[in-house]
Amino acid sequence: MPETQPRAGEPAERDIPAIEVRNLSKSFGQLSVLNGISLSVREGEVVSVIGPSGSGKSTLARCICRLEKIDGGDVFLYGQKVNDGDHSNKDLSRLVGMIFQQFNLFPHLSVLGNLTLSPVKILGVPRSQAEEQAVALLRRVGLEEKRNAWPNELSGGQRQRVAIARALAMNPRIMLFDEPTSALDPELVGEVLSVIAGLAESGMTMMIITHEMLFARDVSDRVLFMADGTIVEQGTPDQIFSHPEVPRTRQFLQRTLPHYGGDVPTDERKENERHGP
């Protein structure tokens, strides 16, 4: 898509949200999954989405990537409405990449083949250039020595890191992560989270759907808490994890944070914080 200069009086692209969702709704049959969701993510911002299973988090990500057809509302990426059918998959791939719970690597291709397939076939990148970029990305995720390995020769953590490198090979401006560690053994979670943290430090715009509460607290600029297909509360990590305002948020965190060694104020402690001992 050609880049254009903003007209007089129009905002520069840096002032336009990287992601903007307006009144998004989605149902599967009689089950309403997303109920009028609205949100925005700024360029370079890392936003984590937390909440109980079934709250609509993954469906939200899939709607943003156009993997699910929405029932109502609009999705904009850098000011471009992408749910109207006017953007090709090639156009979309330049804007956003997505990492799934499962790795989805092509088993019949080597690691290098997995990384070069889409840039060559979809973007028309010369193979030599695609391979050079793939090696650099594998180096970035700590797997350069695995370039000629097959997916079944890798651990789960290694396969997910390859999946991240493969998504980055399309040079997207936004990355969405849908519970990227949920299918991993606990010992392998850290290596994937380290890669994602490195992307955050590099300034990549990201939305991360995760059950890793402490990771979300440490890496995020902003945290959204979803339940029952709505955004219940959002704020800085400190606001959400240490000073949540909404009872439903506090209930969720009180049930989950002890398992991660974290803490969240109880209702009584929150009243003491407000009014003093």
Side-chain angles (χ1 to χ4, degrees):
M1 291 169 286
E3 295 185 1
T4 58
Q5 296 295 322
R7 299 175 183 175
E10 290 185 347
E13 186 173 86
R14 65 179 177 272
D15 299 323
I16 298 173
I19 303 172
E20 186 175 9
V21 176
R22 299 179 186 173
N23 201 30
L24 181 63
S25 60
K26 173 66 180 177
S27 298
F28 295 103
Q30 298 299 313
L31 178 63
S32 179
V33 180
L34 298 176
N35 302 303
I37 294 284
S38 294
L39 64 89
S40 65
V41 179
R42 301 186 308 274
E43 169 80 21
E45 189 177 25
V46 178
V47 175
S48 289
V49 184
I50 63 172
S53 297
S55 59
K57 305 184 301 296
S58 294
T59 301
L60 172 62
R62 292 178 65 85
C63 287
I64 292 173
C65 280
R66 214 170 64 183
L67 296 175
E68 295 286 355
K69 185 176 181 180
I70 66 177
D71 297 328
D74 292 304
V75 176
F76 296 84
L77 301 179
Y78 288 97
Q80 302 175 50
K81 185 177 176 180
V82 297
N83 59 288
D84 54 10
D86 291 340
H87 292 74
S88 67
N89 290 335
K90 178 180 178 179
D91 292 336
L92 200 65
S93 70
R94 292 181 181 275
L95 291 172
V96 61
M98 185 164 176
I99 299 298
F100 302 90
Q101 298 176 27
Q102 300 298 327
F103 323 118
N104 295 328
L105 298 180
F106 297 113
H108 64 291
L109 295 178
S110 68
V111 167
L112 194 64
N114 267 276
L115 266 67
T116 58
L117 180 65
S118 291
V120 171
K121 296 291 187 181
I122 298 177
L123 301 183
V125 176
R127 183 169 296 278
S128 60
Q129 180 181 335
E131 289 182 352
E132 181 179 349
Q133 174 184 260
V135 171
L137 287 170
L138 289 171
R139 187 181 306 120
R140 184 175 183 179
V141 301
L143 290 174
E144 182 180 3
E145 76 283 358
K146 297 294 186 180
R147 69 180 79 176
N148 295 318
W150 299 94
N152 64 3
E153 297 173 334
L154 305 177
S155 70
Q158 289 172 334
R159 278 179 278 177
Q160 191 63 297
R161 283 188 281 161
V162 170
I164 294 172
R166 182 177 63 177
L168 292 173
M170 297 296 284
N171 198 29
R173 302 177 67 178
I174 303 163
M175 286 288 289
L176 302 185
F177 293 86
D178 182 12
E179 298 183 16
T181 61
S182 64
L184 299 179
D185 292 334
E187 291 182 335
L188 303 177
V189 168
E191 62 189 63
V192 174
L193 296 183
S194 293
V195 170
I196 299 174
L199 291 175
E201 291 175 0
S202 74
M204 173 68 75
T205 304
M206 297 193 291
M207 176 181 286
I208 307 169
I209 295 162
T210 184
H211 289 298
E212 300 288 342
M213 297 293 109
L214 298 187
F215 178 73
R217 183 190 65 188
D218 292 342
V219 78
S220 306
D221 298 304
R222 188 156 46 98
V223 177
L224 310 183
F225 171 64
M226 286 186 65
D228 302 318
T230 65
I231 297 175
V232 176
E233 187 170 2
Q234 61 178 299
T236 66
D238 181 66
Q239 289 171 333
I240 296 300
F241 288 107
S242 299
H243 308 285
E245 294 289 337
V246 180
R248 181 66 181 91
T249 311
R250 294 201 297 271
Q251 180 188 57
F252 172 77
L253 293 173
Q254 287 163 7
R255 291 175 175 175
T256 56
L257 278 178
H259 299 289
Y260 294 89
D263 190 20
V264 66
T266 63
D267 291 347
E268 180 179 353
R269 286 171 54 195
K270 190 166 183 64
E271 287 302 313
N272 289 337
E273 288 178 0
R274 285 178 174 173
H275 305 296

